[in-house]
Amino acid sequence: MVLVLALLAMAPPAPTAQAGWSVQELMQQLARSRPSEARFVERRYLKVLEAPIELSGRLLYVAPDRLEKRTLQPSVHTMIVDGDELTIHEAGRRKPRKLRLQDHPSLWGFIESIRATLAGDLPALERFYTVGLDGTPGDWELALAPRVEAMRSVVELIRIGGADGRVRWIEVNEAHGDRSVTQIFEDSR
Amino acid sequence: VRPAERAAVALWLAFATLCAVLALRAEYSTDLSAFLPRSPTPAQQILVDQLHSGAVARIVLIGIEGADPSSLAKLSAGLMRRLGKDPRFVQVENGSSDILERETGLLLRQRYILSPAVAPERFTEQGLRAGLERQLERLASPLSMVASRLLPRDPTGELFEIADTLGEDSGPDRRRGVWFGREGSRALLFAQTGARGFDIDAQSAAIAAIRSAFEQARRDAGVPSARLLLAGPGVFAVQTRNAIKNDAIRVSIVAGAAIALLLLVALRSPRLLAIIVLPVATGAVAGVAAVDLAFGSVHGVTLGFGATLLGEAVDYAIYFFARAGATSADSGRGLWRTLRLGVVTSVAGFGALLLSGFPGLAQIGLFSATGLIVALLVTRWVLPQLSPAGFEARIPAGLGAALQAATARARRGRSAAYLLLALGAGWLLAAGSVTWNDELSALSPVAASDQRLDQEMREDLGVPDVRHLIVAGAGSRERALELAEEAAQRLRPLIAAGAIAGFDSPALYLPSESMQRARRASLPEPQQLGANLQRALSGLPFRDGVFEPFLLEVAAQKRAPPMTREDLEGSTLAIRLDSLLLEGNGRWQALMPLRGAQDAPAVARALGGAGPDIVLLDLKAQADALYRDYRRRVLTYSSLGAGAIVLLLAAALRSVRRIWDVLAPLAAAVLATCIILALAGVQLTIFHVVALLLVVGVGSNYTLFFDRALRSEVDPQRTLAALLLCNLSTVIGFGAVAFARTPVLSAIGVTVAIGAALSLMFGAVLTSGGGRGTNRETQAHR
């Protein structure tokens, strides 16, 4: 018994869903949250690199469909998703790249994993993913597995964790072995 | 019937048959280049080539409207799938995939040949280090997903360079995966036909194929409300032909019926009605035969205009049957003398076009000159044989007298007429009220609404209207590509400076062999590259062995044979290449359309020292200048023709007074017509000038008859009635043409109808008859 308890304590947080706690409720909580600004730290574990790259910057979300990711370190890049349009400003490039999400389904799915989660938009999530939920309202974790083969060849699994209707971290496991973990620190108000 | 007369009829029959055979066998062309100068400048030649066979002339713009966006997208995909398989089209695009996505494999394989950044210093230790650092930065950018996958093969980032060069950022809006217009209510596609834009039959077949593919797609998708919209040069050429055909049929029926009725009332003989067309018909086939013999082919426009100019010949038969200008004593000799002078003046006027240096105009000149002479000869020698002996049209009692009285009254208004004309002329000159439409598009018989549709779809699609084009011409494909590369080198700084947004070039898809050699030579030998890379990697966080694929592929590329057109076969790159690299008459031309040329003079400066084989063209300016030049020449030669007419009349009439009498009403009619057109806000084109030539041709007959009626022993009432009959038939005929839907035809119709009516009026008002003396002379005769 002691051994079991010890094992439980050592195990990574593997919360099991509480009775009466459903994806719908989580989504409602998420949908209630207001425009939010946050600092982020992202670590990219890339197969080609010996050590992870660390990026940091700011995230801004304006419900329902605008999301800005402003990377400040190690170099300045901005990625803005607004509706169907993705704009990427790269450091050292004069003209921004503009893409329509509809033209790039995999990219769209990837963006939606974050945006639809922040919006609490379950149908949008389920359009691309099989959604699994674990944990409690105070410590939850979504597991998003791509539905479509084309997207599975890019992304294997996306995990999003948080508490009290707020997103705290995102982990993306790419199909060919790269992985990134983003921590989100919301501004205290 | 005397033998001589029978011989005349037999001769006519033989001649008409011969001409008809020639006309049937003649080659008819619709090639607009006939209306371009015979010895074009190189720039004009390129314009002509573009009109002929350029990609620009082969584009069909397709729009789908009238359903919700998802149905439109479905229809767009259905149409694309069907047309993609149709051999009539070399390219069909609906935006569902762009060149980078579709050809990633090919571009990646040939990256060291296609990337403009490949140079020896890119593969030195420093160069590789810089490249690796750039990639490291990309790994920390939003593009990291793509960058980390490409990195092991492409650490110098050549694919990114290619992507930037072929830059497709400025494409049309896309919704649901396909191109849409800005309002989002119209799905857009474009197709490029294999056939030339002016091959109207092939274009017609291609358009029919698009329509039927759309019908099928619409049935399959179950969206009956959806509509298909088509534009583009080929579509317009087909529409124009159909519109002109429809117009011609409708106008001929209406005008023919009205004129036939008029003549039937006047001549009271169905048989005469039948033979009255013989002079014109013979003249027309003779004109066609002459043009075919002289030029080797007959242009469609020649037929259209020439036939119009022959309108004058219809009058000959009327004058003959109405015995205009004849006296009982001279058995018609006076009539012929007057008509002969009329024909000679007209021939002088139209004949001037022969000298213009434009095959198209010269054809019109030859056609009408031949046609008029033949028509007169047939009227003179054949018509009398075919008409009932002693026939003459009966003039309704009272009509002649009324006309004579009206003419006499009209002459009192002379001073007022001169005053009005002077005022009008002053207004025209002072206010610069005559406006010329100097845009080539004014020649376009395409309805304005269709031109707007074309413009809209073009803008939405971002199809270059190829206004600014750099052309590099050479004797070989290689040399043309090399010149294009030289031009590209001069253009690149301009992109950075913002003078142009970008450019396309055949050398982007197939670099010249020398450029390929240079790029391949930039790649170090495998061992050297490995060593350089090893040193470059020191201190960077890349894992060992990651770049194995890079080393292998560079080694393979170094040994690879040159890339050729065949390597691109079946790809989007091949299509682009073929539309930008043209061969003709042993010459190769590399076309480099500029995108977003803000500062054309800067481009011209940048190309300044590049030698005469690289030319910057502003095609719109070229085309408009060409047209302006054309209009100027038409005016010059028309003025020369007018001068010739004056000289001829001077020689024939030998009296300043009479010359004035004959010419003043004509000049007045032309001037007044111009004033009326200007008042109506019409911008003049060369079609108006040609129409005014016809006014002079028709009107000179009126004034000559007026002059004659007033000066010799002819029956003025009969002559006046004949003139009125001719005038009515002309005004009815061209009045009907004025209602044609084709702008060109209606411009001619309006001008001639107004001008002919005015010629008769001014003939009545201004022909002085040299004062009372002549009037008395005529009175005495009666």
Side-chain angles (χ1 to χ4, degrees), chain B residues 546-559:
Chain B
V546 161
F547 298 107
E548 233 19 73
F550 165 62
L551 295 172
L552 287 173
E553 286 179 30
V554 170
Q557 185 58 262
K558 187 127 184 84
R559 287 191 308 271

Side-chain angles (χ1 to χ4, degrees), chain A residues 44 46-51 53 55 71 74-75 77-79 84 88-91 93-98 100 102-104 110 153-155 172 174-176 178, chain B residues 95 98 101 136-145 148-149 151-152 160 163-164 169-170 173-178 495-498 501 540-544 546:
Chain A
R44 289 184 181 165
L46 305 178
K47 269 198 326 188
V48 292
L49 296 182
E50 287 168 336
I53 309 180
L55 291 74
T71 309
S75 48
H77 300 286
T78 310
M79 190 161 85
D84 184 41
I88 299 174
H89 298 267
E90 281 171 83
R93 198 171 192 276
R94 204 159 42 89
K95 250 172 72 183
R97 291 176 206 271
K98 286 194 180 204
R100 298 252 162 207
Q102 311 233 18
D103 301 342
H104 305 271
F110 179 65
S153 69
V154 182
V155 176
V172 179
E174 289 181 40
H176 69 297
D178 289 350
Chain B
D98 68 15
E101 276 172 50
L136 209 50
E137 225 169 85
R138 285 209 172 102
L139 291 176
S141 84
L143 297 173
S144 67
M145 270 192 183
S148 90
R149 286 186 169 205
L151 187 74
F160 286 98
D164 278 352
D169 331 338
S170 57
D173 280 6
R174 269 189 256 200
R175 289 165 207 226
R176 287 162 212 273
V178 300
I495 301 178
L540 292 180
F542 294 101
R543 257 188 241 273
D544 282 346
V546 161

Side-chain angles (χ1 to χ4, degrees), chain B residues 702 726-737 749 752-758:
Chain B
Y702 300 164
C726 286
N727 188 242
L728 280 178
S729 72
T730 305
V731 172
I732 289 172
F734 284 93
V737 177
V752 177
I754 295 175
L758 287 175

